[in-house]
Amino acid sequence: QVQLQQWGAGLLKPSETLSLTCTVHDGSFSGHHYWTWIRKSPGRGLEWVGEIHDGGRSLYNPSLKSRVSMSADTSQSHFSLTLTSVTAADTAVYYCARISYGDYFYGMDVWGPGTSVTVSS
Amino acid sequence: QSVLTQPPSVSGAPGQRVTISCVGSRSNIGAGYEVHWYQQFQDEAPKRLIYGSSNRPSGVPDRFSASKSGTSASLDIAGLQAEDGAVYYCQSFDSSLSAWLFGGGTRLTVL
């Protein structure tokens, strides 16, 4: 059964860069999947951050596009998120997840446990 | 403000049926993009509840059902149980934004 393990710094100062990595265990990294990041800020709902395909294609939330980038390493079965110039508004629990697709997209079927990131001076 | 609109909260007594709506627009649900539903308990990762607008993954009780029509979708929960108390999110893709959208979430309280 596929499991996602994620890690990264949990406490940042304003203007620093957020870096998170998610490793795919016991599953195929390549194939009919996109790999995505979602965040949940305190008191708010879920927000999609961006996604990347193992072929390197990526798509980002327009509201974060100028600050976000993602990469994938198929040899290591992991993908990463980088968010620059963070502010308190970026404080959230960040989840990595898998999007599966076939004839259509099947939604985010596997989720990581979440990493709490706090931005504070 | 989410482009997919959900009621902030719904409630029902054990055994009752509740419906959670998700209102979109012609650039997302109305454009034919599938709707997915997620259940999230406090301090846990979300769990996919429904995919492809009406399909239940294995392990999800058949008390949960969903449908889509026009620019809206809905999640029905029949025979409410205490453990159904959670926040439920709808999700779809928006072609105008080229982005995945989540609804604002609906907190279900089982009375």
Side-chain angles (χ1 to χ4, degrees), chain A residues 9 12 16-20 39 81-86 90 92 94 117 119:
Chain A
L12 297 170
E16 292 185 333
T17 295
L18 178 157
S19 293
L20 298 174
R39 69 182 184 180
L81 167 70
T82 299
L83 183 66
T84 61
S85 304
V86 297
D90 296 311
Y94 287 76
V117 176
V119 180

Side-chain angles (χ1 to χ4, degrees), chain A residues 91-110:
Chain A
T91 294
V93 176
Y94 287 76
Y95 298 97
C96 60
R98 183 181 79 173
I99 300 174
S100 296
Y101 67 91
D103 295 335
Y104 56 88
F105 285 97
Y106 301 145
M108 296 166 185
D109 59 349
V110 182

Side-chain angles (χ1 to χ4, degrees), chain A residues 27-88:
Chain A
S28 174
F29 189 76
S30 300
H32 288 187
H33 307 305
Y34 280 80
W35 304 96
T36 186
W37 293 93
I38 303 95
R39 69 182 184 180
K40 187 181 182 311
S41 304
R44 300 182 64 180
L46 299 174
E47 180 182 27
W48 174 72
V49 176
E51 68 184 22
I52 189 165
H53 192 266
D54 63 354
R57 298 189 303 274
S58 58
L59 187 66
Y60 304 133
N61 187 319
S63 68
L64 301 171
K65 191 174 184 178
S66 64
R67 299 191 292 126
V68 68
S69 64
M70 294 177 63
S71 62
D73 185 336
T74 56
S75 66
Q76 299 292 323
S77 293
H78 70 221
F79 59 105
S80 299
L81 167 70
T82 299
L83 183 66
T84 61
S85 304
V86 297
T87 69

Side-chain angles (χ1 to χ4, degrees), chain A residues 36 38 40 44-48 51 59-62 95 99-100 104-109 111-114, chain B residues 1 34 36 38 40 43-48 50-52 55 89 91 93 97-104:
Chain A
T36 186
I38 303 95
K40 187 181 182 311
R44 300 182 64 180
L46 299 174
E47 180 182 27
W48 174 72
E51 68 184 22
L59 187 66
Y60 304 133
N61 187 319
Y95 298 97
I99 300 174
S100 296
Y104 56 88
F105 285 97
Y106 301 145
M108 296 166 185
D109 59 349
W111 292 71
Chain B
Q1 186 173 356
E34 300 292 346
H36 315 293
Y38 301 87
Q40 185 176 33
D43 297 326
E44 293 186 13
K47 168 190 169 183
R48 188 184 61 167
I50 296 287
Y51 69 94
N55 301 290
Y89 295 92
Q91 180 204 29
F93 189 80
L97 298 172
S98 290
W100 288 101
L101 301 176
F102 286 97

